[in-house]
Amino acid sequence: QGRELIGDAELARFIELFAQHRLTARASAILVPHVLVMLREYTAGLQHLGAALPFILRMFTELCSRAMSIDTASRTPELGALYAQLVDACVGVAARTPDGETVDRVLTCVADMVVPQLAHMVPDFERQVGVATHLMQQIISPALRAHMTGGYSGPAQATTQTQHFAAVLQSLAALAQQTSLAKVWRRDVWDFYGDAKFFSEQTMAPTLAMHWKQLVRQLLATDKDRVADLLSRIAASAPGLFANRVYEAQTRALALRRLSFAVWAGTTNQYLSHLPHVQERLVDILKNAPLPVVQCEVFLCLRVLLCRISNHHMSNFWPMLLTELIRLCLLQLAREGPEDREQAQLFLAACKFLDLLFVLGTEDFLIHQWVFITDTIDALYGSP
């Protein structure tokens, strides 16, 4: 009678809170046979639960987790298999429902409760891979593909795109924390990272950028060869008969930005071993007189390097940096006529880099700062 009066969502939420605050782990273990019966019943009828779906998933996750935390005998193959079926069923139903709020709540539960405890709740590794793969195929991969093609369709219609994509990335980030499941998500993240829309305003919204930072860090930490791949994409391609210089410049600029993002996502000196190769690529770019769009990305990359690489490792960069900065300043001072937009953006990028140098006050730069700025009386008021 109580269940009919308060509904599935309310009942599930009550049991979850009761288990958290009132039920001891030992008492939870006694309930395992009853939990098994409930798991079978609910798994068979999930499609009729609607908005109660995320609450049901949270309830069973809490009950099973508390039971298993004290009684290892409770970790029976049957319990793990039924729980995996429940998660798969919840994800499958959520992927088909038009209620975007329900989808996002399921994803939040998956990220906060299911994935962090998956190895504990589902001892069979093959079943863990199956759960993660099902989550990727049903919700995460379609959302990534839809984002790359320019629009959403399906379960996110009732919520804003940013809110839904944040929930998707939250689940993906939770999977990325499980190193044993790297093969499940790595390919999708790498494909999206290499897509032209990765740096779009929608992808890099404030609520999404930090998720991508974590994902790219985990991606490159679990696959060392990816960094070499990023560096190879920066290298200039051999000029062809029908080469499009503007297109090649834009492609190279995006490759540089991906490298900058990777270094920014990493920890201090994480990519120190790759620094000579990075320097080689940057010097090669500046030698070949690239278009301003590429040079702007060079200065962005240098700013990131200053923040992620210890100063004493950057000493080999100074001859190149000073030469290029002086050249751009002299070019700007000598410029006449109407302002060129691309050149103005390039000079702004150089000034941002100089500004960071002054803020950091590195010893290697202090002896050269007089070339760009001075605070003497003569500079302020002019010599008599």
Side-chain angles (χ1 to χ4, degrees):
Q1 290 180 336
R3 178 176 171 180
E4 295 176 356
L5 290 173
I6 64 175
D8 289 299
E10 293 81 3
L11 177 62
R13 183 60 175 155
F14 171 78
I15 294 175
E16 177 195 351
L17 292 175
F18 182 83
Q20 285 179 350
H21 301 288
R22 295 292 182 184
L23 198 64
T24 64
R26 190 173 299 278
S28 300
I30 300 174
L31 296 177
V32 168
H34 305 285
V35 173
L36 288 172
V37 174
M38 293 175 64
L39 273 171
R40 295 189 192 95
E41 292 180 356
Y42 274 99
T43 302
L46 284 177
Q47 64 271 20
H48 306 299
L49 292 176
L53 197 64
F55 299 99
I56 299 297
L57 182 58
R58 292 180 64 94
M59 175 188 73
F60 279 114
T61 302
E62 181 65 30
L63 285 173
C64 295
S65 175
R66 292 181 67 83
M68 291 180 175
S69 64
I70 191 170
D71 186 2
T72 55
S74 299
R75 298 177 62 180
T76 63
E78 184 182 13
L79 182 58
L82 284 173
Y83 181 76
Q85 290 176 18
L86 175 75
V87 176
D88 284 345
C90 285
V91 169
V93 173
R96 296 188 297 271
T97 181
D99 183 4
E101 186 176 357
T102 297
V103 180
D104 292 347
R105 284 181 174 176
V106 169
L107 288 174
T108 301
C109 177
V110 168
D112 293 343
M113 299 181 68
V114 177
V115 174
Q117 301 184 85
L118 190 59
H120 174 68
M121 306 283 283
V122 185
D124 186 352
F125 178 69
E126 293 300 324
R127 289 191 182 276
Q128 296 174 30
V129 173
V131 170
T133 302
H134 188 69
L135 175 63
M136 290 293 301
Q137 293 175 345
Q138 292 293 314
I139 296 181
I140 296 178
S141 295
L144 294 177
R145 287 194 296 269
H147 201 82
M148 286 190 284
T149 56
Y152 282 95
S153 62
Q157 293 173 351
T159 59
T160 65
Q161 293 183 5
T162 301
Q163 287 175 331
H164 175 68
F165 205 55
V168 169
L169 292 185
Q170 186 181 4
S171 299
L172 187 53
L175 281 178
Q177 293 296 318
Q178 311 301 313
T179 55
S180 60
L181 300 175
K183 290 184 178 180
V184 175
W185 58 268
R186 215 161 41 188
R187 179 62 182 272
D188 290 83
V189 173
W190 177 252
D191 289 345
F192 193 85
Y193 185 41
D195 188 78
K197 288 187 173 63
F198 181 78
F199 293 106
S200 66
E201 184 178 351
Q202 292 77 17
T203 303
M204 285 297 148
T207 54
L208 304 179
M210 297 309 294
H211 288 305
W212 281 117
K213 179 182 179 182
Q214 179 184 352
L215 285 166
V216 171
R217 180 193 301 168
Q218 289 294 117
L219 171 68
L220 299 179
T222 56
D223 193 344
K224 307 295 184 181
D225 295 335
R226 298 295 188 183
V227 180
D229 193 358
L230 289 175
L231 288 170
S232 68
R233 296 187 182 192
I234 298 172
S237 58
L241 182 61
F242 302 102
N244 186 326
R245 189 163 182 253
V246 175
Y247 174 77
E248 289 181 353
Q250 291 173 343
T251 302
R252 206 173 189 190
L254 277 175
L256 264 172
R257 181 164 292 195
R258 288 189 192 95
L259 176 64
S260 300
F261 190 87
V263 177
W264 174 73
T267 57
T268 302
N269 293 330
Q270 179 176 339
Y271 298 105
L272 184 59
S273 61
H274 297 280
L275 190 60
H277 304 288
V278 173
Q279 182 181 1
E280 180 183 349
R281 294 288 187 270
L282 297 182
V283 171
D284 179 63
I285 289 173
L286 296 177
K287 278 183 179 179
N288 290 289
L291 294 179
V293 65
V294 180
Q295 288 179 283
C296 288
E297 294 301 327
V298 170
F299 282 111
L300 175 61
C301 185
L302 289 169
R303 286 162 58 196
V304 173
L305 288 173
L306 285 177
C307 296
R308 285 291 183 264
I309 302 294
S310 299
N311 294 329
H312 61 277
H313 294 300
M314 296 287 292
S315 56
N316 290 337
F317 280 76
W318 291 112
M320 171 193 71
L321 295 178
L322 293 172
T323 301
E324 186 62 19
L325 287 170
I326 292 172
R327 185 188 72 82
L328 287 175
C329 288
L330 293 176
L331 184 65
Q332 186 68 20
L333 291 173
R335 190 176 302 280
E336 296 180 356
E339 189 72 61
D340 180 86
R341 181 178 177 83
E342 289 189 347
Q343 290 295 331
Q345 290 177 337
L346 173 56
F347 188 64
L348 176 61
C351 289
K352 287 181 178 180
F353 177 65
L354 268 175
D355 179 66
L356 181 60
L357 286 174
F358 285 119
V359 170
L360 295 177
T362 60
E363 293 183 5
D364 288 331
F365 178 71
L366 289 178
I367 60 176
H368 302 291
Q369 68 174 353
W370 63 270
V371 177
F372 305 99
I373 193 170
T374 179
D375 57 359
T376 64
I377 298 298
D378 288 346
L380 292 173
Y381 301 105
S383 57

